[in-house]
DNA sequence: GCAGCAAAGTTGTCGCTACAACTATTCCGA
DNA sequence: TCGGAATAGTTGTAGCGACAACTTTGCTGC
C-alpha cells in the first residue's frame, strides 16, 4: 500500500496543468466581464442556446452542454432572465421540465460578445500551440474527460472525434443567426 | 477585422479543455474535503510549505508557488491559522513581509492528506494518459503558462524543463519530513 | 534626508458556486 | 391503478474568491 508518489516527469506535467487550471479561468472571465459584462459561464449558457434550434434548450440539456449542475444553472439562468437575456417557459411535453430560450437582447449580447472571446481564446491558448499540439491537446483532454465524467452525463460538448468533423457545437463558433 | 472563428480541430481541443477546466477542480476539491477537510487550494498551501526549508515561506513567495493573488492567500492563511495548521510571524529582515510556517498539526495534516490526493491525481489524470501524452501535456501546459503568466510572477512551480530534473517542487511529491 | 513611488500584506464587501432540502411530475411494476 | 422510485427543477445557506481600498515599510533620486 505504498503511496505512488509522482516522479519528475509526472510532477512537471501535473504542476503545470494545475497552474493552467488556476490561471486560465480568471483570464477568460475578466475579458468577458470587462467587454460584455458576462461571466465566462454566463457566456457559454448564451452561446449554447445560440446554437440550439430556436435558441431554446431544456435546462438539463443546457446543463450537460455547459458541464454544470442543475442548481448552479438554475441560479445563473435566473440572473440572466432578470437581465432580460433569456426566458424560461414550461415545457409542454414534460411538465417537470423547463425550457430556456434566448430573447432578442440575448441574441444581440451573444453576437456582440463572441468575437472578443474568440480572440482571447486564440491569444491565450491556441496561438501558443503548434498544430500538432492542438491535436495532442484534444486527445489528452478527451482521455481526461472520460475519467472525469465516465457516464458521459456531461458529454454533449466533447463528442468523440472519429474523423468526422463535429457539428459546430462550440462556444467559439460563430453564433448561428436567429 | 473578420473574427477568426475556430475550425473543427481547434474547437474540439478548446471545448474539451474547457470541460476539464470545469470538472477537474471539483473532483480534486471534493476528495480532499471529504478525506482531509481541506480545499485543494488549502492543501497546496500546506504542501508548498512542507517542501520549503523549515516549513516556512514568505507570503508573496507562497503566493507565487500556488498561483494565487496575495489577497486570496491572505484570507486562506487566516483560516488555516485559526485552525492551528500554520502560524504567521513577521519577517525580521523585511518588516513589510510576513512568514507563514507549518505547525506540528500542519505537518501532520499534510502528511495525512498527501497519499489520498496523489491517488486521486493518478486516477483522474495521469493514469488516463500514455507516457508520451504526459510529456506532451507538460510541453503544452508550459506553452500555455508562458501566455497566461508572461512575467513569470507565478512561475515558481513551472520552471522550464531543460533536461535537468526539477527539484521536487510538487504538491504531490512526498512531504519532506519536518 | 526627505519626497515620491513601489512592494508586501490586510481587510471589507459583493457575487458566485456547492450542498442540502424540497416540490412537482413521470415512469414502472404488480 | 396505485405506490414507490426516479427525474427535473427550484430555493436557501454557507463559504470561498475577486476586487478595491488601505496601511506600512522599503527604495531611489536629488
Amino acid at each position: 500500500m505504498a503511496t505512488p508518489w509522482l516522479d519528475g516527469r509526472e510532477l512537471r506535467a501535473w504542476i503545470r496543468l494545475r497552474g493552467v487550471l488556476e490561471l486560465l479561468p480568471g483570464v477568460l472571465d475578466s475579458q468577458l466581464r470587462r467587454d460584455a459584462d458576462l461571466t465566462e459561464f454566463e457566456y457559454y449558457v448564451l452561446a449554447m442556446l445560440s446554437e440550439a434550434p430556436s435558441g431554446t434548450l431544456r435546462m438539463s440539456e443546457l446543463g450537460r452542454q455547459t458541464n454544470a449542475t442543475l442548481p448552479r444553472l438554475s441560479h445563473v439562468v435566473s440572473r440572466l432572465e432578470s437581465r432580460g437575456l433569456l426566458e424560461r417557459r414550461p415545457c409542454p411535453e414534460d411538465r417537470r421540465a423547463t425550457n430556456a430560450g434566448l430573447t432578442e437582447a440575448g441574441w444581440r449580447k451573444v453576437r456582440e460578445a463572441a468575437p472578443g472571446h474568440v480572440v482571447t481564446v486564440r491569444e491565450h491558448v491556441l496561438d501558443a500551440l503548434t498544430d500538432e499540439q492542438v491535436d495532442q491537446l484534444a486527445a489528452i483532454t478527451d482521455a481526461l474527460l472520460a475519467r472525469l465524467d465516465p457516464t458521459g452525463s456531461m458529454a454533449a460538448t466533447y463528442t468523440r472525434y472519429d474523423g468526422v468533423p463535429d457539428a459546430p457545437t462550440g462556444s467559439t463558433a460563430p453564433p448561428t443567426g436567429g
Side-chain angles (χ1 to χ4, degrees), chain A:
Chain A
M1 297 292 279
T3 300
W5 302 113
L6 307 190
D7 65 30
R9 283 177 47 255
E10 294 169 328
L11 210 43
R12 264 189 307 281
W14 169 238
I15 291 295
R16 287 173 189 167
L17 176 57
R18 191 186 168 276
V20 172
L21 253 40
E22 204 70 67
L23 298 178
L24 185 47
V27 169
L28 301 172
D29 262 341
S30 60
Q31 179 270 321
L32 278 166
R33 213 177 256 294
R34 174 169 45 84
D35 296 344
D37 192 31
L38 287 175
T39 304
E40 196 259 6
F41 182 71
E42 289 172 337
Y43 172 77
Y44 267 82
V45 168
L46 300 183
M48 289 308 181
L49 289 178
S50 81
E51 291 170 11
S54 314
T56 297
L57 237 33
R58 260 145 112 133
M59 291 291 286
S60 48
E61 178 59 22
L62 188 51
R64 294 205 302 121
Q65 295 197 16
T66 53
N67 301 296
T69 59
L70 229 22
R72 180 185 180 191
L73 182 62
S74 182
H75 280 129
V76 171
V77 164
S78 295
R79 283 174 235 140
L80 293 175
E81 190 173 24
S82 74
R83 293 170 62 183
L85 299 177
L86 53 74
E87 277 178 352
R88 268 193 261 233
R89 350 177 114 255
C91 173
E93 300 139 27
D94 183 339
R95 298 212 313 254
R96 293 170 301 181
T98 306
N99 288 320
L102 288 178
T103 61
E104 245 339 291
W107 282 107
R108 270 199 306 278
K109 176 66 91 172
V110 70
R111 274 197 285 257
E112 278 171 27
H117 176 63
V118 177
V119 168
T120 306
V121 170
R122 282 206 177 278
E123 281 178 359
H124 291 88
V125 180
L126 295 166
D127 288 356
L129 306 178
T130 65
D131 286 357
E132 206 185 353
Q133 284 180 318
V134 170
D135 291 335
Q136 292 171 356
L137 179 58
I140 288 169
T141 47
D142 191 40
L144 296 184
L145 286 171
R147 296 283 177 122
L148 295 170
D149 176 28
T151 72
S153 62
M154 294 175 170
T157 53
Y158 66 99
T159 313
R160 287 300 184 355
Y161 181 51
D162 302 314
V164 182
D166 287 0
T169 168
S171 53
T172 357
T176 58

